[in-house]
Amino acid sequence: MTEPGEVVVEGGGRESAADWFRRICDVHDRVFSAEPFAWVPEMSPAHEEELQSLMTVAGFRLAVARQRDGLLGYAYGHPLPADHGWWGDFDRPLPAGLVEEWPGRTFAVISLAVLPEGRGRGTGGRLMEALLRDREEQRAILSVQPTALATQRLYRRWGWTHVGRKGPLADVTPPCWDIYVRDLDVAPQ
């Protein structure tokens, strides 16, 4: 039994994402339209479309943090396909061993957002832990806006390693993204 004000973090897949879809989109817009993030109004419908598409991807996973019936935050991602575009367009060449991909090597954390009232209580860390728990991939990858310095410090504290800056990318807001990788402590298959 949970206490009335307790934050509950739970994982799920596409069904859970469908149940929480509108509230996930609302949290996304509220978090990423505020400083220090770069935001343009087109990002809201683009996020909705991207999430709808990702929910159909095999291996899609979601974690939500809720308090009572309200959503405080979410994290979601999917296994990275070998033919993705994550390793292109960097500001410098990256080591071949880092950018080599194969099925089952990398899980992509696509988005993590926590409302201001849910921050400072470990909610983001619990979301990330729930999202990455029991993953079979060897590592995870995520991108962060360069202006989100506090977010980057948090990821480094959680064991993520900055591997480079992607961009500038045409027709993308922001045009550059910092890329982080973290070992998931799984033996190669």
Side-chain angles (χ1 to χ4, degrees):
M1 184 92 187
T2 61
E3 296 296 318
E6 183 179 352
V7 175
V8 176
V9 175
E10 55 195 22
R14 66 185 67 154
E15 298 81 17
S16 183
D19 292 344
W20 289 100
F21 183 82
R22 176 56 22 221
R23 288 181 273 186
I24 290 169
C25 293
D26 292 344
V27 168
H28 173 273
D29 293 356
R30 188 169 157 203
V31 168
F32 294 111
S33 66
E35 292 289 331
F37 301 103
W39 176 266
V40 292
E42 296 81 24
M43 292 172 98
S44 182
H47 171 257
E48 290 182 20
E49 186 176 311
E50 177 186 46
L51 179 54
Q52 285 282 4
S53 175
L54 291 176
M55 288 165 50
T56 67
V57 173
F60 171 85
R61 180 138 174 92
L62 166 75
V64 295
R66 60 180 175 78
Q67 189 171 35
R68 296 178 190 86
D69 289 331
L71 187 67
L72 285 178
Y74 68 84
Y76 63 80
H78 63 87
L80 197 63
D83 61 350
H84 65 85
W86 275 68
W87 295 116
D89 302 310
F90 274 80
D91 60 353
R92 61 181 167 78
L94 298 176
L98 176 67
V99 301
E100 185 180 2
E101 286 292 346
W102 53 83
R105 182 174 193 201
T106 307
F107 183 82
V109 177
I110 301 300
S111 189
L112 180 145
V114 178
L115 291 173
E117 56 268 30
R119 295 179 192 156
R121 302 190 278 172
T123 304
R126 290 176 61 203
L127 282 166
M128 186 67 78
E129 180 184 319
L131 182 67
L132 298 178
R133 183 180 305 124
D134 301 325
R135 295 300 320 166
E136 295 180 6
E137 294 83 8
Q138 296 174 0
R139 66 184 184 181
I141 188 172
L142 58 79
S143 62
V144 184
Q145 292 190 19
T147 56
L149 300 178
T151 303
Q152 293 198 35
R153 283 190 299 275
L154 186 63
Y155 286 141
R156 285 192 300 274
R157 196 168 69 230
W158 291 346
W160 292 82
T161 301
H162 181 258
V163 296
R165 180 163 287 173
K166 188 175 176 75
L169 305 170
D171 302 319
V172 175
T173 300
C176 295
W177 293 81
D178 288 329
I179 307 299
Y180 283 77
V181 173
R182 188 181 111 187
D183 183 13
L184 294 180
D185 297 321
V186 176
Q189 296 181 356

